[in-house]
Amino acid sequence: MKHTLLYIATTLLLASCGQEELPLGEQALGYLSLSAVEVEASDVQLISTRAGETDDLIVALTDESEKMTEYDYAETISCPPGTYTLEIYSESYKTENANAPKYYYKHKEQVVIEEGQTEPVGNISVPMINFGVTFSWPEDLKGFTKIKFNVEYGSTSKEIQTGETTYFDISDEKTISYSLSAQNEDEDPVATNGLYGDEENETLKAGTIYTVSYKLETQTLEIK
């Protein structure tokens, strides 16, 4: 019996960040307030969320001499007075080919910190700049063994297990390809493959998780 119906769906990935105050140094300091920072997950519609746990967000301040200082994200950051370029990103952003969601934001305007003063910067949404693919094998789809799922984007190919998500840095490539191989109850080989992004209404977007799921419905292989 060879049967699988393939569909691909889009879900959203949300990340979280929290807040804690940094200790003051002995030198004269000013303060940067980031109380309105959010991380966002995007699809057809943009959805933002404020989370309650500290994530791996990093705040980077680069002064006019191009010296950059990194701080763990906190609602209030104490730093030397000066004029800074503000960036916020996840730890994974700095890691090439990190298999994790990557978040990055750069403030359009420079931030001026004055001694003893608090400079508020609000309404910041830190977007996810890569995308992910999840493999979902339903629990009620029994009798199959030797299940292997592979997803390819550009020159990168990855094999993942059911329930796992793998991430890709987005590029000029417009499509992802995926393939499944398995054995059914009769030990007959079952194989299918497909593309996403080759249809008019299919667009690969940063900040999106694409879920490939298999569903038993007919006696033939059908790809949608």
Side-chain angles (χ1 to χ4, degrees):
M1 294 166 43
K2 303 179 182 178
H3 23 246
T4 44
L5 171 67
L6 173 65
Y7 66 87
I8 188 163
T10 301
T11 59
L12 300 179
L13 180 67
L14 305 179
S16 60
C17 59
Q19 346 157 337
E20 72 181 76
E21 292 199 5
L22 298 176
L24 298 179
E26 297 180 356
Q27 65 186 116
L29 298 173
Y31 307 93
L32 175 66
S33 174
L34 299 170
S35 59
V37 169
E38 299 175 336
V39 291
E40 69 182 39
S42 59
D43 189 15
V44 176
Q45 295 181 342
L46 180 64
I47 299 176
S48 296
T49 184
R50 179 67 181 276
E53 297 181 0
T54 301
D55 197 23
D56 65 345
L57 288 181
I58 296 169
V59 177
L61 296 177
T62 303
D63 63 20
E64 292 180 303
S65 67
E66 301 299 321
K67 178 184 177 182
M68 184 180 73
T69 304
E70 292 182 331
Y71 303 85
D72 291 337
Y73 171 77
E75 188 171 299
T76 301
I77 293 174
S78 56
C79 54
T83 300
Y84 296 96
T85 297
L86 167 65
E87 297 171 279
I88 302 175
Y89 44 79
S90 60
E91 181 69 33
S92 56
Y93 169 75
K94 303 190 302 177
T95 306
E96 187 176 358
N97 298 321
N99 193 30
K102 296 181 179 182
Y103 293 88
Y104 177 80
Y105 168 86
K106 184 175 182 179
H107 200 56
K108 292 181 179 179
E109 300 175 353
Q110 290 188 311
V111 177
V112 179
I113 307 296
E114 298 180 359
E115 182 179 337
Q117 302 297 313
T118 298
E119 176 66 21
V121 179
N123 300 320
I124 293 177
S125 293
V126 184
M128 177 179 162
I129 61 171
N130 57 353
F131 72 91
V133 177
T134 295
F135 171 44
S136 176
W137 185 262
E139 292 184 0
D140 60 354
L141 196 55
K142 302 182 183 300
F144 288 86
T145 59
K146 298 183 179 179
I147 300 169
K148 290 186 178 181
F149 179 79
N150 190 81
V151 59
E152 184 174 325
Y153 179 66
S155 60
T156 303
S157 180
K158 299 179 181 180
E159 182 179 322
I160 58 175
Q161 304 299 314
T162 181
E164 290 183 346
T165 302
T166 190
Y167 295 87
F168 297 91
D169 292 338
I170 200 157
S171 68
D172 293 334
E173 292 288 336
K174 304 298 183 183
T175 62
I176 54 174
S177 61
Y178 45 89
S179 61
L180 172 80
S181 64
Q183 282 188 352
N184 63 17
E185 293 175 323
D186 299 325
E187 296 187 351
D188 294 325
V190 175
T192 184
N193 57 73
L195 289 173
Y196 182 84
D198 59 333
E199 300 291 339
E200 183 177 352
N201 61 340
E202 297 177 348
T203 304
L204 290 178
K205 296 180 179 180
T208 306
I209 304 297
Y210 297 91
T211 300
V212 182
S213 181
Y214 292 81
K215 181 180 179 182
L216 183 63
E217 188 167 279
T218 69
Q219 297 294 323
T220 60
L221 288 174
E222 183 180 359
I223 300 177
K224 289 188 176 181

